Amino acid sequence: MTTQTILPVDAGRLSELSLRSGEPEWLKESRLKALELAAELELPKLEKTRIDRWNINNYGSYKESAAIAALNEAPTAIAALVGSSEEGSLIIQRNSGAVYTRLAPELADQGVIFTDLQTAVKEHGELVRRYLHTAVKPEEHSVAALHAALWNGGVFLYIPKNVVVDTPVQAVFLTDDAEASFAPHVLIVADSNSSVTYVDNYVSGKSEAGLHNGAVEVFACAGAKVRYATVHQFGADTTDVTYRRAIVENDGSVEWIIGEMNDGDTASDTKSVLKGNGASSDAKVIAVGSGSQKLNYTTQAQHFGKNTPSNMITRAVMRENATSIINGITKIEKGATRADGQQTEKVLMLSPKARGDANPILLIDEDDVTAGHAASVGQVNPEQIYYLMSRGISRSDAEKLVIYGFLAPVVSQIPLEGLRNQLKSLVERKLGQ
């Protein structure tokens, strides 16, 4: 079935907005071409998910937000997330644009660039142009094309050669105006033998329906190491569609740490392309679904280089009437000898009406490789609950222990203590504890 894509803006309006924002000509043309593509392309085809029935047309319109001079002026919805970041590097986007940007002086002295993407296209145009939309490509489907046409705010992070950033850089993305478009684009470039940890949070502070159409592009050059940690905690009002891509060169590495804690319908696709020899990827995803959420999570690793290890772990807990589709795809291309692709997907259901589906997929076009997968979907084991209750533990506490035991293999491997604690509290909130 073909579904006609509804364009939220026409070419004239988009061109006018780009000119008013002072964007370079190449970006205006890029946006217009993407808008044209969006009218021709179909929606993404998600496994066992009718995304055409979701709220995916409520883009809103571009609305500027007033800048804030200090973090004590930050909106209440994100105050707890930014309260201790006075000395660090931080970007805050509110609705359609950045309202706060700070780069630690010691990083600026080393040549690190950390600014919102709309500023970066003006100040670092050639560098941005070299990478923008080359990992998440507009021609993939209409959602990607509309993102390329309408993105706003966002983050541009560039780490020069041989620079090691020890302290995480952070961003917070807040949508609290249903009439304002919200489509941040994150672009990270780690040059040769550099290292960085980037952490962001996505939050909503409204009750009206809205859409987040987001994209992330990570480029790990030769020998570079990028750790990308993200937590999505939108309310039930917000539909979240996010595409993440990493291109990893020789001996580079990318590590994804993803907490899917939304209350609304969510689709995310996280893919690592191991382009160079010795490139590696590690992805850890935890998710909790509740209410009547429809969730679709895909994690992918595509091996082109030789000696390329990838590991993907997803653990999801579903309660009430939530349904989830968990896909893991390992693709080993011809010539990627001695590649090693491993994946595990597990879903725990806490209610008879909850549904989960785990789909491990191995696509292998080379003989000299190692690959493996594991998948399981099931209810809480009543024998485990009975055993714990026989030791004097209440049923609710017993269930809580089983759930934490289920998520622990992923959460315990997260190397950032603050993120571990944040995810634990979000899990408790989602589970109604």
Side-chain angles (χ1 to χ4, degrees):
M1 184 187 74
T2 300
T3 303
Q4 181 68 37
T5 298
I6 300 172
L7 298 182
V9 66
D10 61 33
R13 172 66 179 147
L14 185 60
S15 181
E16 177 191 329
L17 182 60
S18 181
L19 288 169
R20 198 173 72 217
S21 301
E23 294 180 347
E25 182 68 17
W26 66 263
L27 181 56
K28 185 188 78 170
E29 293 303 318
S30 170
R31 289 187 184 277
L32 291 172
K33 183 179 178 182
L35 186 68
E36 198 175 309
L37 270 175
E40 302 168 358
L41 296 172
E42 296 185 19
L43 289 168
K45 293 178 173 60
L46 304 183
E47 184 78 19
K48 300 178 183 177
T49 301
R50 290 289 303 273
I51 192 174
D52 57 296
R53 296 179 177 176
W54 293 11
N55 168 36
I56 55 169
N57 296 313
N58 195 2
Y59 277 86
S61 57
Y62 183 88
K63 294 174 70 173
E64 291 187 19
S65 295
I68 61 175
L71 292 181
N72 58 13
E73 301 174 16
T76 305
I78 61 172
L81 295 173
V82 302
S84 60
S85 303
E86 288 286 0
E87 301 303 317
S89 300
L90 173 68
I91 289 175
I92 299 174
Q93 175 170 339
R94 187 176 191 179
N95 300 311
S96 303
V99 297
Y100 181 89
T101 302
R102 185 183 191 281
L103 173 60
E106 61 271 20
L107 297 186
D109 291 343
Q110 297 179 77
V112 173
I113 301 170
F114 183 56
T115 186
D116 68 278
L117 188 56
Q118 285 187 288
T119 297
V121 296
K122 303 170 191 175
E123 298 181 355
H124 310 281
E126 287 307 309
L127 184 57
V128 172
R129 187 178 184 181
R130 191 186 314 163
Y131 294 98
L132 184 64
H133 305 317
T134 61
V136 181
K137 298 182 179 181
E139 55 266 30
E140 286 191 33
H141 42 66
S142 63
V143 171
L146 278 175
H147 173 85
L150 301 174
W151 68 264
N152 49 42
V155 165
F156 178 63
L157 173 60
Y158 172 75
I159 313 299
K161 291 180 181 179
N162 303 316
V163 171
V164 175
V165 179
D166 294 319
T167 305
V169 297
Q170 300 185 65
V172 177
F173 301 98
L174 169 66
T175 171
D176 61 359
D177 182 347
E179 296 180 355
S181 62
F182 182 65
H185 187 104
V186 178
L187 177 58
I188 298 175
V189 180
D191 217 328
S192 301
N193 300 309
S194 65
S195 177
V196 68
T197 295
Y198 167 88
V199 180
D200 63 25
N201 276 268
Y202 291 75
V203 184
S204 61
K206 57 185 175 59
S207 56
E208 304 88 350
L211 169 68
H212 167 246
N213 177 355
V216 174
E217 298 182 295
V218 175
F219 297 87
C221 298
K225 301 184 186 306
V226 178
R227 176 183 290 158
Y228 189 110
T230 184
V231 178
H232 287 227
Q233 46 180 314
F234 291 124
D237 54 88
T238 302
T239 298
D240 183 7
V241 182
T242 303
Y243 284 84
R244 309 178 187 96
R245 299 284 185 270
I247 309 295
V248 189
E249 303 289 350
N250 291 347
D251 300 315
S253 69
V254 64
E255 179 182 2
W256 301 101
I257 302 169
I258 300 169
E260 299 282 9
M261 299 292 155
N262 293 330
D263 289 329
D265 294 339
T266 302
S268 74
D269 187 317
T270 304
K271 181 177 182 179
S272 298
V273 179
L274 303 181
K275 185 178 176 183
N277 297 334
S280 64
S281 169
D282 184 273
K284 303 179 185 72
V285 182
I286 68 167
V288 180
S290 58
S292 58
Q293 278 185 279
K294 305 288 188 296
L295 308 171
N296 188 297
Y297 306 124
T298 299
T299 313
Q300 304 185 58
Q302 187 174 17
H303 299 246
F304 287 96
K306 297 176 173 60
N307 298 297
T308 49
S310 70
N311 189 41
M312 303 183 293
I313 301 174
T314 301
R315 297 217 171 187
V317 176
M318 297 295 113
R319 61 190 293 256
E320 299 168 337
N321 297 308
T323 63
S324 64
I325 307 295
I326 312 293
N327 304 304
I329 304 172
T330 302
K331 178 74 166 75
I332 301 179
E333 304 290 350
K334 184 68 176 175
T337 54
R338 296 182 297 283
D340 183 2
Q342 304 294 328
Q343 57 168 291
T344 304
E345 295 84 36
K346 294 190 176 184
V347 183
L348 181 66
M349 296 178 293
L350 305 184
S351 159
K353 295 183 178 180
R355 293 289 179 268
D357 194 353
N359 305 301
I361 300 169
L362 301 177
L363 305 170
I364 301 173
D365 292 330
E366 179 57 60
D367 295 329
D368 184 15
V369 301
T370 304
H373 64 79
S376 67
V377 177
Q379 303 276 354
V380 173
N381 188 334
E383 292 184 3
Q384 292 177 326
I385 302 297
Y386 178 78
Y387 174 81
L388 291 169
M389 291 176 65
S390 72
R391 296 299 186 268
I393 298 172
S394 68
R395 174 174 287 277
S396 62
D397 285 344
E399 289 180 347
K400 187 189 302 184
L401 287 171
V402 170
I403 293 164
Y404 287 147
F406 175 77
L407 296 175
V410 178
V411 176
S412 64
Q413 292 183 44
I414 295 174
L416 305 170
E417 182 180 1
L419 188 60
R420 282 200 307 271
N421 293 335
Q422 181 192 3
L423 285 172
K424 183 177 179 181
S425 65
L426 286 171
V427 167
E428 289 176 351
R429 176 184 64 80
K430 286 281 289 180
L431 294 174
Q433 297 170 347

